[in-house]
Amino acid sequence: MSIGYKIRNFFSNHAETKDRHVDKKLQTHYYKSSKDSVMKVIESYFASKDTYSINAVSKEHGEVSATTKKGKRVFIVATIIMVRPYHTAIDFSVTTESLLQLDFGHSSKVIQELYEHINKELQLISEH
């Protein structure tokens, strides 16, 4: 990971995951589960936390969006894609609302916390 990437990430207010991300912590995670099971885990996580509020759930598109109610204002979109039976990918897009368009890495930390929780609930496939 280059120093330029670290500086850009630190002074950005947005982070998202993808398959071949420079930062290993922000690479797409794959789970041995169905799309519906993964969506339930994500929905129940946001519903169980008093800091989050679910905005919308689209089972057809495999998306769940949420915002924070306390602390820094964060907008999260979770995208769930079933690659093949019991092989489901989860990607996140997180934007922190701030006046200066920077969050000092907060968006990346939110993604890491979400993945940590999901890793406890579902079986991670580590071949990616």
Side-chain angles (χ1 to χ4, degrees), residues 24-68:
K24 296 266 188 212
K25 296 175 184 173
L26 296 179
Q27 287 184 346
T28 302
H29 281 50
Y30 292 83
Y31 295 93
K32 188 175 183 176
S33 185
S34 68
K35 178 180 162 185
D36 291 336
S37 297
V38 173
M39 287 194 72
K40 285 179 187 173
V41 167
I42 292 172
E43 286 180 63
S44 68
Y45 176 74
F46 287 138
S48 69
K49 300 287 185 182
D50 62 347
T51 55
Y52 291 106
S53 172
I54 295 175
N55 291 346
V57 176
S58 173
K59 295 196 184 291
E60 300 82 32
H61 295 104
E63 290 187 343
V64 177
S65 67
T67 55
T68 53

